[in-house]
Amino acid sequence: MNVAKIAVASGKGGTGKSTVAANLGYSLAQERDVVLVDCDVEEPNLHLFFQDGRSESPVTTPVPVIDTSACTFCGRCAEQCRYGALLVLENDIRFFRELCHSCGGCSLVCPTGAVREEMEAVGRVWESRPFPHLRLISGVLDVGEIHSTRVIQAAKQAAEPAGLIIYDAPPGTACPVVETMEDSDFCLLVTESTPFGLHDLELAAAVAKKLCVPAGVVINRSDGDDAETMAVCSRHDLPVLLRIPFDRKIAAWQNRGELFAVHMPQWQGRFTDLYTRIQDIAGGSR
Amino acid sequence: MDAPVEERFGRSPYLILIDTDTGTETSIQNPGADAAGGVGPRTVQLLVNHGVKAVVTGQVGGNAASALQAAGIDAYQYRAGGTVRDALALYRAGKLTRLL
């Protein structure tokens, strides 16, 4: 089976996830249809590499609305809410919208049917087609919202059905990263040879392992001396699949918000080879 | 009464309920103290369920403050690092700053 979904993660922010995802997506789109999905919904930035008009659709989530005329203020809804989103007073009830995780538990436990759910917007999904074979989908979480996984799900849904999908994961290893990696066939871990970079690489690798997603590493901004990174990778059985050197020309294109693979075509071949190696590692195993 | 005062309202592992008329003291555990989020409103709910009218604590977060206000519970600040007994003495003497 072909590897159809690749998550690009790193653990640490600023390592070059979006750079790798964008250049990989662009390179592969020279030969086939590719969908790039920006799952870093709190700070989506993949679109900065591309110029194209985009369409927008809202992402909604259910939140409770309480009919105080039917409510007996028994307090069961607040009791079951793990997030403190409901406060039941003697004859009033307060709802803290920003604490609500949309689990729907309050409406399930209410004995008088006083809680109904209404859909409210928590973010948006942008969609564009910057190149003939490349679709770009970005999840954008509204400021102050907590429902990042809801927006990630919506962005992932918008990408389907597609032959090859590349997810640009958020930094860190919390729920949004798990949500992004979860149904991926392969996880590409981008790292840099710094103590923080390597530490966070190990955390991200542990998440991929826990989710049973095969993983490999891209070393970004490599200064040529990668012994320490190699040691970490071999300790965790992570193959190093590509090295992107610390190169002024690459940095210059990057600074202009451009894809270096567009201007340095030899890299298109390297990213295509990277995909071939991913196929070799994960293609037969799932 | 000899325990140190926890300065973070929602994260208090125990709440000491004091009936200022009778002087009775009851200690209750705060089940949400270690929860990931929403500890403020959940702790306020506990106070509401026990009919509390005023609270002495170090600091209250935004959600806890809204919840305390909604519940009509007064909040006083104690940050001297002493025990519950010390805090209560200052409260009784009217020497604590009112937060809400």
Side-chain angles (χ1 to χ4, degrees):
Chain A
M1 192 197 112
N2 272 356
V3 172
K5 292 170 185 172
I6 302 171
V8 183
S10 74
K12 184 182 161 300
T15 310
K17 264 184 300 16
S18 299
T19 301
V20 169
N23 284 283
L24 175 64
Y26 168 78
S27 302
L28 296 178
Q30 302 308 305
E31 290 174 2
R32 74 201 87 203
D33 287 326
V34 179
V35 187
L36 263 175
V37 185
D38 196 339
C39 295
D40 187 2
V41 300
E42 287 184 38
E43 299 279 352
N45 61 1
L46 217 45
H47 63 279
L48 298 174
F49 285 106
F50 304 96
Q51 271 126 35
D52 195 32
R54 62 188 176 218
S55 61
E56 187 174 301
S57 50
V59 180
T60 57
T61 193
V63 293
V65 175
I66 293 134
D67 174 5
T68 45
S69 65
C71 177
T72 59
F73 310 101
C74 70
R76 274 188 228 175
C77 54
E79 200 183 311
Q80 72 79 42
C81 180
R82 292 182 55 188
Y83 304 102
L86 289 159
L87 178 68
V88 179
L89 307 171
E90 208 174 326
N91 42 37
D92 195 9
I93 186 159
R94 299 294 170 97
F95 173 54
F96 295 87
R97 165 78 169 74
E98 65 280 11
L99 295 176
C100 175
H101 283 55
S102 294
C103 70
C106 49
S107 66
L108 289 175
V109 298
C110 179
T112 63
V115 185
R116 81 170 185 281
E117 290 187 290
E118 272 185 13
M119 300 305 281
E120 276 192 22
V122 290
R124 287 148 286 155
V125 168
W126 290 341
E127 176 157 1
S128 63
R129 187 181 284 275
F131 292 97
H133 291 288
L134 186 68
R135 278 168 73 208
L136 172 63
I137 291 168
S138 302
V140 189
L141 182 70
D142 285 346
V143 173
E145 284 291 344
I146 58 165
H147 295 85
S148 53
T149 53
R150 178 70 201 92
V151 178
I152 293 170
Q153 284 163 8
K156 288 173 89 172
Q157 272 162 21
E160 305 272 7
L164 177 57
I165 305 178
I166 299 170
Y167 301 126
D168 186 9
T173 47
C175 320
V177 177
V178 174
E179 183 67 47
T180 305
M181 279 190 199
E182 214 156 26
D183 62 346
S184 303
D185 302 309
F186 192 83
C187 183
L188 203 52
L189 297 162
V190 183
T191 191
E192 54 179 16
S193 301
T194 62
F196 293 111
L198 293 179
H199 171 259
D200 288 8
L201 168 71
E202 291 186 87
L203 295 178
V207 175
K209 193 170 182 186
K210 194 92 185 165
L211 296 172
C212 300
V213 178
V217 170
V218 173
I219 305 176
N220 191 28
R221 295 192 206 99
S222 167
D223 60 0
D225 177 19
D226 298 321
E228 213 173 327
T229 311
M230 302 299 285
V232 170
C233 290
S234 75
R235 195 158 69 237
H236 294 273
D237 271 332
L238 294 167
V240 175
L241 305 177
L242 182 70
R243 265 173 240 247
I244 303 172
F246 186 80
D247 178 327
R248 275 180 189 283
K249 278 182 287 190
I250 289 177
W253 291 120
Q254 183 75 13
N255 284 349
R256 274 170 242 170
E258 297 201 38
L259 298 162
F260 67 87
V262 171
H263 300 282
M264 304 163 85
Q266 68 274 27
W267 279 95
Q268 290 173 32
R270 285 177 204 162
F271 280 111
T272 312
D273 292 346
L274 169 65
Y275 179 61
T276 308
R277 290 204 59 191
I278 291 172
Q279 285 281 17
D280 291 345
I281 295 167
S285 69
R286 288 165 76 90
Chain B
M1 291 300 280
D2 296 316
V5 174
E6 165 61 54
E7 293 205 355
R8 300 164 305 160
F9 169 71
R11 298 283 173 196
S12 304
Y14 290 92
L15 302 161
I16 316 298
L17 308 181
I18 295 152
D19 186 324
T20 47
D21 295 333
T22 62
T24 51
E25 304 146 10
T26 326
S27 167
I28 54 168
Q29 203 172 356
N30 182 6
D34 295 326
V39 292
R42 291 176 75 188
T43 308
V44 173
Q45 184 72 63
L46 205 57
L47 299 183
V48 169
N49 297 350
H50 284 87
V52 169
K53 296 285 175 250
V55 66
V56 176
T57 185
Q59 57 191 18
V60 291
N63 290 318
S66 319
L68 285 166
Q69 271 168 338
I73 298 173
D74 299 337
Y76 294 87
Q77 188 169 53
Y78 174 81
R79 306 192 75 166
T83 63
V84 175
R85 193 185 310 282
D86 300 333
L88 180 62
L90 288 176
Y91 170 76
R92 284 187 192 273
K95 286 185 177 164
L96 293 179
T97 314
R98 183 145 170 201
L99 286 170
L100 294 165

